[in-house]
Amino acid sequence: MKASLSYVSLLLALSGLMGAAPAPPTTTTAAGADQTLCIKPSGPPIVASNASNLQLTGSAGGQAILQPNGLTLGWNFSNGGLGAPQICTNQWLNIVPGAHPWKKLVWGSSQDTTTWKAGYDSNLAAKKTLTYNGTSTFLACNPNYETFAAEMIVFLWTDDSVVLPLAADDTLSNVDITSCKKTKLHIGSNDDSIILWP
């Protein structure tokens, strides 16, 4: 069910809930997630422009991947992070440190990475750190296993002076390195609509 934010505010005002005591927290840690009602916005996917327009997705504890249908519940950009969904955020995209210029991206229940430069209608970028330069370039690679739908595994690319990988390493062990290509991840414009989520 989609509704505008003003429509939900009107409903809350008419029902006498506006100004009432605050509701209990809607989320807890991932291990003991609370199942109370949470209003989550509907937002744009993050699209890989040079990887068949696949969209960023994944779940807490897993590696970031690109698929035809990505996450679309809005984005939380607070404190230099990239979290999903925008409200009641329960997963954050984190950069895993490593010796290679391609960094593994994993979804976690906590925000470990605070160096994302992100916003609606812009390319996702990682700010410069002590170990790598700032970049908005990513590496998208086909997995080296069968999938039922189009899928690519995505990594942060931190050094444009380095050629694409020619041999698998511990970070790239689950991909077909001959399929790897550089891409940008574009966050679309926000439409400010919301959905009710159990």
Side-chain angles (χ1 to χ4, degrees):
M1 175 177 144
K2 282 193 167 188
S4 72
L5 189 55
S6 59
Y7 180 72
V8 171
S9 297
L10 176 65
L11 288 176
L12 291 174
L14 292 174
S15 68
L17 294 176
M18 204 91 155
T26 55
T27 60
T28 58
T29 62
D34 188 350
Q35 296 299 314
T36 58
L37 180 68
C38 184
I39 298 174
K40 294 185 180 181
S42 173
I46 297 178
V47 177
S49 58
N50 194 31
S52 303
N53 288 320
L54 294 175
Q55 302 172 4
L56 183 65
T57 191
S59 58
Q63 193 164 352
I65 57 174
L66 302 170
Q67 290 184 331
N69 297 305
L71 298 170
T72 57
L73 293 176
W75 300 99
N76 183 339
F77 306 119
S78 63
N79 302 317
L82 178 66
Q86 180 179 359
I87 300 172
C88 303
T89 303
N90 61 9
Q91 60 186 22
W92 295 92
L93 187 62
N94 293 309
I95 302 167
V96 178
H100 303 288
W102 42 89
K103 310 292 183 204
K104 187 182 269 190
L105 300 173
V106 296
W107 292 100
S109 58
S110 63
Q111 181 183 2
D112 299 331
T113 298
T114 58
T115 55
W116 289 117
K117 180 180 176 187
Y120 289 109
D121 201 24
S122 66
N123 288 334
L124 178 62
K127 295 177 187 174
K128 181 179 180 175
T129 69
L130 294 175
T131 57
Y132 56 82
N133 294 322
T135 182
S136 63
T137 304
F138 293 82
L139 187 66
C141 307
N142 291 329
N144 60 7
Y145 50 84
E146 289 288 324
T147 61
F148 293 105
E151 179 177 304
M152 297 184 92
I153 299 172
V154 64
F155 303 85
L156 180 65
W157 184 262
T158 61
D159 188 350
D160 280 331
S161 68
V162 175
V163 297
L164 290 174
L166 299 175
D169 58 37
D170 56 334
T171 308
L172 300 173
S173 61
N174 59 346
V175 302
D176 171 7
I177 58 168
T178 63
S179 70
C180 294
K181 60 179 85 176
K182 293 179 184 178
T183 190
K184 302 288 186 186
L185 295 180
H186 185 77
I187 306 166
S189 298
N190 189 11
D191 64 6
D192 286 327
S193 60
I194 63 168
I195 60 172
L196 298 178
W197 192 268

